[in-house]
Amino acid sequence: QVQLVESGGGLVKPGGSLRLSCEASGYTFSDYYMSWIRQAPGKGLEWVSYIDRSSDYTNYADAVKGRFTISRDNAKNSLFLQMNSLRVEDTALYYCARVSGYCSGGSCYPGEWGQGTLVTVTS
Amino acid sequence: EIVMTQSPATLSVSPGERATLSCRASQSISSNLAWYQQKPGQAPRLLIYGASTRATGIPARFSGSGSGTEFTLTISSLQSEDFAVYYCQQYNNWPPWTFGQGTKVEIK
């Protein structure tokens, strides 16, 4: 079955950097768009970024644009999120999600989710 | 950006009763709406997509309805494992995908 396992979270000071990883298994990774979604402690869900199958197209939430970079390595079945210039408000559990539906037709949504990796930004 | 508003914030229901959760979009999203269930300490799980299609493995007691701006998730007879937070999410106008703030279904 589909498995998504995130790693790379931790404690970092404001202005610092982290690189999150998500290792996928149980399906053909290169067939699917992928996304990062975050959830601040005790709060709701916030979409962060997504990437298409071949890394040709990426997009970001305004809150992270210019600071975060999404990427993928289809040969290694892995998704990444490089987070720079971190802020206190970036503190959250970061989920990796496989995107379901028909993105080329504009109709897709997070299907399967990993368990998340916690990023804490504090001085 | 489309704003999704869920009501109520908390719903108290007895086991075996019906629960009705609402989600409203700030503009029409056709049927491009998904529902997720999140239990404490767990990742969200996809329940419904296309406003009314159950995801794989989701029990028939979960049903979704609506189109345009008004949507409903109904749990016909609440089981103990259904007490959780439920989120709606639009994917009609994206990016960004936007989520509602969640409805917590708690035991009455």
Side-chain angles (χ1 to χ4, degrees), chain B residues 7-56:
Chain B
S7 62
T10 303
L11 187 61
S12 298
V13 186
S14 299
E17 289 188 340
R18 173 187 295 258
T20 303
L21 290 66
S22 296
C23 176
R24 174 177 292 179
S26 61
Q27 64 188 76
S28 178
I29 58 169
S30 186
S31 295
N32 292 314
L33 182 99
W35 288 96
Y36 300 87
Q37 176 193 66
Q38 187 177 34
K39 298 178 182 178
Q42 295 187 18
R45 176 175 71 144
L46 177 68
L47 297 176
I48 300 280
Y49 61 93
S52 61
T53 303
R54 280 189 301 278
T56 302

Side-chain angles (χ1 to χ4, degrees), chain B residues 57-89:
Chain B
I58 301 303
R61 63 180 182 274
F62 291 92
S63 64
S65 63
S67 66
T69 61
E70 302 283 344
F71 300 87
T72 300
L73 175 69
T74 301
I75 312 170
S76 59
S77 176
L78 269 158
Q79 307 297 304
S80 57
E81 61 266 30
D82 300 334
F83 292 96
V85 178
Y86 293 83
Y87 294 95
C88 62
Q89 178 242 332

